[in-house]
Amino acid sequence: MEDLRREIFEKVEEYFKKRGNNPSKKIGVAYPCFDHREVNQALDSLLDVWISQGPKVRQFEKEYAEYIGTKFGIGCNSGSSANLLALTALIQSGHLNPGDEVIVPAATFTTVISPLLQTGLVPVFVDIETQTYNNCPDAIENAITEKTKLIMVVHSLGCPSKMDEIIAISEKHQIPILEDCCEAHGASINGKKVGSFGLISTFSFFVAHNMTTGEGGMVMTSDEKLYDILRSIREFGRLMKYEKNQPRFYYKDECLKEYDERYVFTNIGYNLRMTDIAASLGIEQLKKLDDFNMLRGEIAEFYTRKLCDYEKYLLLPNIPAGYFHSFYGYPVIIRPDSPFTRKELVNFLEKHDIETRAFMGGDLSLQPAYRNTPCKTPFVMPNTKLMLNNAFFIGCHPSISSEQKKHITNTFDEFFSKIKI
């Protein structure tokens, strides 16, 4: 059987050598970068008949927590679920109560906001800054009231938020921080990884992200009480802290007598577990993440170097000193006084097989889903409006070839040669 297993793995490796990577003509904003190593890890789980949560989930949780710099990681089935788990755990642990206000950037993705409403919390939208595309520290400070109980930081497109300033605000007002790092795997400030600054943080391993498990997510924390609650509510609300050296049916309280401890439920929970097949991919992807991110950075640097001649019309990424930007995507903001629109530039790029995306939801306070909800927008948000109307991003993933990089910047050159500037 072992010989057959080895033969299967060798056949998979041979297939990927012949296949190559990213055969598509269109240059996507993202592409899943994996090879025989991920496939063979997943096959290993299938051949061992581990297709739900098992030993590889535990291995991936441990290794990813070590990488980020937290004590614990709790794998789950998506980044959206990670936010839902994190917020539910904060409520069940007493850090939050339904009706509490949570400060969030208005220019972000829907999975930041929906879990807040789903758990009975009140999102308070604040403006972003155009250097990092993230929460503006001054806007956070101005939005704090006696009802504010959480600051939710989003590290957009792989650029870290200004955590030193935000932590100072957090400590001044004694308000905890939840970091949404779903687009920022491996991003850091002075060597400290995002996801290790706040009380709790979340990651997504969706197919388009810097590392992927297909679908998947993880919650990170160093708080043992939160960890215990997170493990329980991820899996139906089950009792997780079994008493050691006890026979079966040891559980008892004022209502249950000698009950099967595997069917005791101590929290109101969900079923949001990660599978070992997904974790298998994550184990191998994590080994490649730093190299992937270096390639992303090199591609982004190439774009910036080639496009800097057009900075009169374009705002290009400007990375703060000491920041490592992991570039989930390469953002471009068209200056308001430019003689062309975002639609014109984006359509031109798309016509030349260069895929683009708007800056997530633009201004989520204007999205149909959130117009008639408890969400609050207490201040004018000029930078968010700019992102809504003028921002987009293109791909900078490791599968983009040298020829494709040149095609992208040459296409920008061609666009600018055709307009009157």
Side-chain angles (χ1 to χ4, degrees):
M1 290 298 290
E2 282 303 313
D3 288 343
L4 178 59
R5 194 184 189 106
R6 192 178 303 110
E7 183 181 349
I8 292 170
F9 292 164
E10 288 172 355
K11 291 285 187 185
V12 171
E13 183 174 1
E14 181 182 349
Y15 168 81
F16 272 91
K17 285 179 179 177
K18 291 180 178 179
R19 175 184 180 274
N21 203 11
N22 192 10
S24 173
K25 177 186 176 185
K26 193 174 184 71
I27 307 171
V29 295
Y31 189 83
C33 303
F34 65 91
D35 58 23
H36 66 281
R37 284 169 280 239
E38 285 86 348
V39 175
N40 284 339
Q41 272 277 10
L43 280 172
D44 186 61
S45 293
L46 289 166
L47 294 172
D48 284 340
V49 202
W50 274 107
I51 60 174
S52 186
Q53 182 175 286
K56 288 194 176 176
V57 171
R58 291 191 292 275
Q59 179 184 346
F60 183 36
E61 290 171 336
K62 181 177 183 293
E63 291 176 359
Y64 199 68
E66 289 172 353
Y67 177 81
I68 296 301
T70 59
K71 288 184 180 179
F72 309 113
I74 302 90
C76 58
N77 61 356
S78 73
S80 175
S81 294
N83 278 337
L84 183 62
L85 280 172
L87 293 165
T88 303
L90 289 171
I91 289 172
Q92 293 194 13
S93 64
H95 287 90
L96 295 174
N97 290 295
D100 286 345
E101 294 184 356
V102 179
I103 293 177
V104 289
T108 188
F109 193 60
T110 183
T111 52
V112 177
I113 309 304
S114 289
L116 291 167
L117 295 168
Q118 289 159 350
T119 52
L121 299 165
V122 179
V124 177
F125 291 121
V126 299
D127 204 7
I128 63 164
E129 55 169 27
T130 54
Q131 184 182 26
T132 63
Y133 327 109
N134 298 324
N135 312 58
C136 175
D138 288 343
I140 293 173
E141 179 75 63
N142 292 336
I144 290 174
T145 70
E146 69 278 358
K147 294 182 180 180
T148 307
K149 302 301 178 184
L150 183 69
I151 298 169
M152 196 163 177
V153 172
V154 184
H155 305 290
S156 298
L157 294 184
C159 186
S161 297
K162 291 187 173 176
M163 292 309 300
D164 286 350
E165 296 177 46
I166 295 172
I167 287 170
I169 294 168
S170 165
E171 292 175 348
K172 173 183 173 182
H173 297 279
Q174 297 186 316
I175 300 171
I177 294 171
L178 190 165
E179 294 178 78
D180 182 312
C181 311
C182 290
E183 302 167 11
H185 315 72
S188 62
I189 301 173
N190 296 321
K192 183 177 174 63
K193 297 284 196 304
V194 300
S196 65
F197 287 92
L199 173 64
I200 193 167
S201 63
T202 57
F203 286 83
S204 168
F205 304 116
F206 178 61
V207 67
H209 291 173
N210 295 44
M211 59 175 286
T212 184
T213 60
E215 297 281 358
M218 197 173 294
V219 184
M220 321 303 296
T221 187
S222 294
D223 186 296
E224 189 169 359
K225 181 181 177 181
L226 282 174
Y227 174 63
D228 291 337
I229 294 171
L230 286 160
R231 290 180 63 227
S232 175
I233 61 178
R234 171 183 62 178
E235 190 172 338
F236 314 114
R238 268 192 171 128
L239 172 72
M240 286 293 169
K241 295 197 77 170
Y242 298 151
E243 294 182 22
K244 294 180 180 179
N245 304 317
Q246 289 284 347
R248 286 279 308 281
F249 302 98
Y250 77 84
Y251 186 86
K252 62 181 179 179
D253 59 23
E254 63 273 17
C255 297
L256 299 176
K257 306 299 180 187
E258 296 184 329
Y259 205 75
D260 187 341
E261 69 280 0
R262 294 177 300 181
Y263 287 90
V264 174
F265 304 97
T266 55
N267 296 284
I268 297 172
Y270 313 98
N271 178 13
L272 303 176
R273 291 174 292 185
M274 176 179 277
T275 69
D276 260 28
I277 298 169
S280 297
L281 304 182
I283 289 167
E284 293 300 324
Q285 287 274 289
L286 181 57
K287 296 173 185 176
K288 303 174 180 180
L289 178 58
D290 287 343
D291 288 339
F292 283 167
N293 284 342
M294 290 302 296
L295 286 170
R296 287 175 178 272
E298 289 170 8
I299 293 170
E301 185 179 357
F302 176 86
Y303 292 162
T304 300
R305 189 169 65 251
K306 294 293 185 177
L307 298 179
C308 64
D309 288 344
Y310 309 121
E311 285 189 302
K312 180 179 178 182
Y313 309 103
L314 305 176
L315 280 169
L316 303 174
N318 180 16
I319 306 168
Y323 280 44
F324 180 75
H325 191 319
S326 58
F327 281 102
Y328 164 62
Y330 184 86
V332 176
I333 305 171
I334 299 167
R335 294 182 187 271
D337 56 353
S338 295
F340 58 91
T341 65
R342 175 177 62 184
K343 182 178 179 181
E344 290 173 321
L345 176 53
V346 161
N347 284 347
F348 191 83
L349 294 171
E350 295 275 357
K351 183 180 176 182
H352 288 78
D353 293 317
I354 301 165
E355 193 174 43
T356 67
R357 290 287 187 275
F359 190 84
M360 306 305 164
D363 180 350
L364 286 182
S365 72
L366 302 180
Q367 289 283 348
Y370 304 117
R371 291 174 195 166
N372 298 306
T373 67
C375 293
K376 295 183 178 180
T377 309
F379 302 102
V380 175
M381 300 184 293
N383 293 334
T384 298
K385 183 178 180 181
L386 178 66
M387 303 302 281
L388 171 69
N389 296 322
N390 292 54
F392 68 96
F393 67 94
I394 59 175
C396 56
H397 52 84
S399 289
I400 293 176
S401 67
S402 295
E403 292 74 19
Q404 288 175 322
K405 285 191 305 182
K406 293 174 185 175
H407 172 69
I408 289 171
T409 56
N410 288 344
T411 302
F412 273 92
D413 290 340
E414 185 179 348
F415 174 81
F416 279 101
S417 73
K418 291 179 181 294
I419 65 171
K420 294 179 181 179
I421 58 175

